[in-house]
């Protein structure tokens, strides 16, 4: 089997032994793919995303990222530099006092110099249409601005893959549309956990539904089903 | 608790200095050190003349810099309530020179003087610190403390508190509103105590959860126990001038006290 960017191979996970969230679940993300992840609340969408960056370790099964088997925290450190994760609640993500510091946080952790970090900050903010946001105080931003700044913070690390957990949840129409527009323009392969039909419409080119602890192909109504790979093993 | 939490939102909207204000160009570090030295010197003063002079300097400073808004002046109220309390109690503690006696109660001169001195000191210090640190964001103060060598754990604690107080406040507001819409009215009964217990417990639990998520989010961006500050501002000529003025004032006070 050709290795995708991200491969989950029969992973199982449970927060509570009586109710497993994932049961021998399989998933593969290839380059240029934008996968929409559907599923009811509590079906395990966030769990899948967290597993990809090693925030949760599978009870069984294998996680391969960029063709490398990842088991330990050390393996995942490298992964987290190359896979960006946008959290559902931007308040969890934006913890620095100012926008500039928050966006620079990742690049500085990656060993960039202050000067480089500053350039990355202004480049990323203007890419997302947030000019002159550098000195804004993160906790005073509106919900939509927070989401975009959090996205900027993730993009500042120049990830190759994006994991987005409900990127439009809790935003008003205009703000949500702005996030959708931004995502459409991004070149990265992504996995988007969402309920928002706007996102399923255009950024996403493959739909999966998480049900009973497994991922199954979901028809998105315009023929994309032919593009689907089988995601569950019997 | 809600008061503390509600005040969290009142820090300024931007770290960018507000233009046209004379302490703007002065580094937060210099201002912090100045505030610390001023407090130390005033604490050591004991002659009424010098204390009046110190308070006078603080008041003039407040007027000259225009640093104190009405809201900041109000911060002097609580400390003066305490001073009033002392003014009422200290003279009753007995002393060599009674000023007034009504029945068993004797008002002593020593206590009165002591209370007035404490009042002068407290006001001079609070006003001086307010002037010196006015219009500084908590964030800049946190960073300045960090570069001054205050342990990282403490400055992180300060910065994270400032950042998440507002989030906690909203969480508290939501829970409180949810209680209200279900007809909860606080009273003096077990139901009220239990409900507030649940509220505080829930708030704590959610904070722990949030802390976990924040750590996860930080790990996702490559954080492993070390912060790399983005700003490292250099001291300028303004800092030198400012330091000179502060030193002059402090020296003046010292001379006035002990000469």
């Amino acid at each position: 089997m050709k290795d995708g960017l991200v491969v989950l191979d029969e992973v199982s996970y449970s927060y509570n032994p009586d109710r497993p969230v994932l049961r021998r679940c399989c998933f593969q993300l290839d380059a240029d793919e934008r996968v929409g992840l559907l599923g009811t609340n509590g079906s395990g969408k966030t769990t899948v995303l967290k597993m990809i960056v090693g925030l949760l370790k599978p009870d069984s099964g294998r996680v391969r990222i960029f063709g490398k088997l990842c088991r330990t925290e050390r393996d995942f450190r490298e992964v987290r530099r190359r896979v960006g994760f946008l959290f559902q609640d931007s308040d969890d993500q934006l913890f620095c006092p100012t926008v500039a510091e928050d966006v620079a946080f990742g690049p500085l952790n990656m060993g960039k110099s202050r000067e480089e970090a500053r350039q990355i900050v202004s480049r990323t903010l203007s890419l997302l249409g947030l000019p002159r946001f550098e000195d804004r105080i993160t906790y005073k931003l509106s919900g939509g601005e927070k989401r975009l700044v959090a996205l900027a913070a993730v993009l500042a690390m120049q990830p190759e893959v994006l994991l987005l957990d409900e990127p439009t949840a809790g935003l008003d129409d205009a703000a949500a549309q702005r996030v959708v527009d931004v995502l459409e323009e991004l070149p990265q392969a992504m996995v988007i956990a969402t309920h928002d039909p706007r996102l399923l419409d255009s950024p996403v080119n493959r739909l999966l539904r998480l049900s009973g602890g497994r991922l199954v192909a979901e028809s998105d109504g315009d023929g994309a089903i032919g593009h689907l790979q089988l995601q569950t093993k019997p | 608790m809600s008061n503390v939490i509600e005040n969290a939102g009142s820090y300024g909207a931007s770290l960018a200095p507000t233009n046209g204000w004379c302490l703007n160009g002065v580094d937060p570090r210099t201002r912090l050190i100045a505030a610390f030295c001023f407090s130390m010197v005033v604490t050591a003063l004991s002659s009424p003349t010098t204390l009046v002079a110190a308070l006078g300097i603080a008041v003039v400073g407040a007027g000259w810099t225009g640093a104190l808004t009405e809201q900041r002046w109000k911060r002097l109220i609580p400390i003066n309530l305490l001073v009033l309390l002392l003014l009422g109690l200290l003279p009753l503690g007995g002393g060599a020179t009674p000023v007034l006696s009504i029945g068993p109660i004797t008002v002593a001169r020593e206590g009165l003087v002591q209370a007035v001195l404490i009042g002068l000191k407290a006001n001079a210090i609070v006003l001086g610190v307010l002037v010196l640190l006015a219009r500084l964001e908590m964030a800049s103060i946190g960073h300045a403390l960090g570069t001054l060598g205050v342990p990282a754990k403490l400055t992180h604690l300060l910065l994270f508190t400032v950042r998440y107080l507002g989030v906690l406040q909203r969480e508290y507001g939501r829970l409180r509103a949810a209680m209200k819409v279900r007809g909860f009215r606080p009273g003096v009964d077990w139901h009220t105590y239990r409900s507030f217990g649940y509220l505080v417990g829930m708030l704590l639990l959610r904070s722990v959860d949030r802390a976990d998520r924040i750590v996860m989010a930080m790990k996702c961006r490559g954080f492993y126990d070390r912060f790399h500050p983005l700003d490292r501002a250099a001291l300028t000529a303004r800092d030198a001038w400012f330091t000179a003025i502060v030193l002059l004032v402090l020296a003046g006070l010292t001379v006035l006290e002990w000469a």
Side-chain angles (χ1 to χ4, degrees):
Chain A
M1 181 173 80
K2 183 180 141 286
D3 259 350
L5 296 174
V6 172
V7 178
L8 298 184
D9 187 15
E10 300 204 354
V11 291
S12 301
Y13 189 81
S14 62
Y15 295 94
N16 171 348
D18 300 333
R19 283 185 292 119
V21 186
L22 302 179
R23 296 180 217 213
R24 295 160 67 82
C25 173
C26 294
F27 171 72
Q28 176 163 344
L29 177 77
D30 291 323
D32 302 327
E33 261 192 328
R34 287 145 177 252
V35 174
L37 214 53
L38 302 171
T40 51
N41 293 331
S43 59
K45 301 189 291 291
T46 306
T47 309
V48 169
L49 298 184
K50 283 185 176 168
M51 198 159 280
I52 294 173
V53 282
L55 292 175
L56 297 174
K57 306 282 190 309
D59 297 336
S60 69
R62 282 176 299 278
V63 181
R64 298 176 72 85
I65 316 283
F66 303 119
K68 187 169 173 280
L69 187 62
C70 296
R71 279 204 201 90
T72 61
E73 184 68 13
R74 184 174 287 276
D75 296 334
F76 281 106
R77 284 192 186 187
E78 177 57 29
V79 167
R80 289 177 198 146
R81 289 166 179 247
R82 297 169 66 187
V83 177
F85 193 141
L86 184 74
F87 279 56
Q88 190 169 352
D89 185 346
S90 302
D91 272 319
D92 293 340
Q93 206 151 4
L94 304 176
F95 69 94
C96 296
T98 66
V99 169
E101 286 169 301
D102 218 294
V103 177
F105 178 70
L108 288 173
N109 285 333
M110 291 168 74
K112 300 265 195 260
S113 74
R114 286 198 185 79
E115 203 34 59
E116 285 172 310
R118 220 176 270 283
Q119 280 167 8
I120 292 173
V121 169
S122 66
R123 200 177 336 123
T124 317
L125 287 179
S126 64
L127 174 77
L128 295 191
L130 302 168
R132 291 188 297 285
F133 261 60
E134 277 91 339
D135 287 327
R136 296 278 298 272
I137 300 279
T138 48
Y139 62 80
K140 301 227 161 162
L141 300 173
S142 72
E145 290 167 341
K146 271 187 193 165
R147 196 65 52 86
L148 284 171
V149 170
L151 185 58
V154 170
L155 290 176
M157 297 180 73
Q158 289 147 338
E160 295 156 57
V161 174
L162 283 175
L163 309 178
L164 308 150
D165 195 357
E166 306 271 7
T168 55
L171 301 185
D172 63 35
D173 271 347
Q177 191 56 49
R178 209 165 151 202
V179 171
V180 173
D181 293 343
V182 165
L183 292 182
E184 262 178 55
E185 294 300 315
L186 293 175
Q188 282 93 344
M190 29 182 119
V191 184
I192 311 179
T194 186
H195 293 286
D196 191 341
R198 270 170 301 215
L199 280 166
L200 303 182
D201 213 23
S202 99
V204 164
N205 56 23
R206 181 157 75 101
L207 272 182
L208 295 174
R209 178 175 291 279
L210 195 54
S211 124
R214 289 181 178 188
L215 281 162
V216 289
E218 169 101 357
S219 163
D220 67 353
D222 56 49
I225 192 115
H227 178 71
L228 290 171
Q229 290 162 290
L230 192 59
Q231 292 307 319
T232 42
K233 293 187 182 177
Chain B
M1 180 175 70
S2 63
N3 264 347
V4 178
I5 290 179
E6 270 146 33
N7 283 338
S10 66
Y11 302 114
S14 162
L15 275 189
T18 349
N19 287 326
W21 186 59
C22 61
L23 288 190
N24 267 344
V26 182
D27 194 282
R29 283 170 290 178
T30 323
R31 288 163 67 175
L32 268 173
I33 294 175
F36 178 76
C37 293
F38 182 77
S39 312
M40 284 297 125
V41 169
V42 173
T43 311
L45 300 178
S46 58
S47 97
T49 331
T50 334
L51 280 172
V52 170
L55 182 60
I57 290 166
V59 172
V60 169
W64 178 52
T65 57
L68 297 184
T69 55
E70 192 184 338
Q71 196 198 351
R72 289 207 178 88
W73 278 109
K74 281 189 186 149
R75 292 190 188 170
L76 288 174
I77 294 173
I79 190 109
N80 282 301
L81 287 178
L82 188 71
V83 169
L84 274 180
L85 186 74
L86 288 176
L87 211 51
L89 290 179
L90 275 184
L92 305 181
T97 36
V99 195
L100 186 73
S101 27
I102 311 160
I105 301 168
T106 312
V107 177
R109 189 171 181 277
E110 286 79 3
L112 215 54
V113 170
Q114 205 60 42
V116 170
L117 287 185
I118 291 176
L120 285 172
K121 260 186 210 187
N123 278 293
I125 292 177
V126 172
L127 201 55
V129 169
L130 280 179
V131 170
L132 290 168
L133 301 187
R135 301 199 193 178
L136 269 186
E137 281 291 339
M138 281 310 279
S140 335
I141 294 180
H143 284 313
L145 286 172
T147 42
L148 283 176
V150 172
K153 274 186 184 152
L154 292 181
T155 54
H156 295 168
L157 206 57
L158 177 72
L159 290 174
F160 275 77
T161 306
V162 172
R163 170 63 184 87
Y164 285 102
L165 221 45
V167 174
L168 271 178
Q169 175 200 354
R170 283 199 295 282
E171 217 140 64
Y172 167 80
R174 277 198 297 273
L175 288 172
R176 197 70 184 75
M179 290 166 85
K180 252 183 220 157
V181 296
R182 287 197 284 160
F184 175 76
R185 284 223 198 124
V188 186
D189 50 22
W190 275 113
H191 173 65
T192 303
Y193 302 147
R194 196 169 29 238
S195 305
F196 273 116
Y198 290 159
L199 172 67
V200 172
M202 189 53 78
L203 217 49
L204 275 174
L205 271 180
R206 289 191 183 190
S207 310
V208 171
D209 273 354
R210 187 176 289 280
D212 281 341
R213 293 199 301 272
I214 294 166
V215 169
M216 281 186 177
M218 289 170 78
K219 275 186 180 177
C220 280
R221 289 200 279 154
F223 175 78
Y224 295 99
D225 306 327
R226 236 180 81 89
F227 273 106
H228 310 268
L230 182 61
D231 278 307
R232 190 159 285 178
L235 298 178
T236 63
R238 291 200 81 141
D239 291 291
W241 278 110
F242 176 76
T243 311
I245 294 171
V246 171
L247 282 179
L248 214 62
V249 167
L250 295 182
L253 286 176
T254 319
V255 169
L256 201 60
E257 170 85 14
W258 284 285

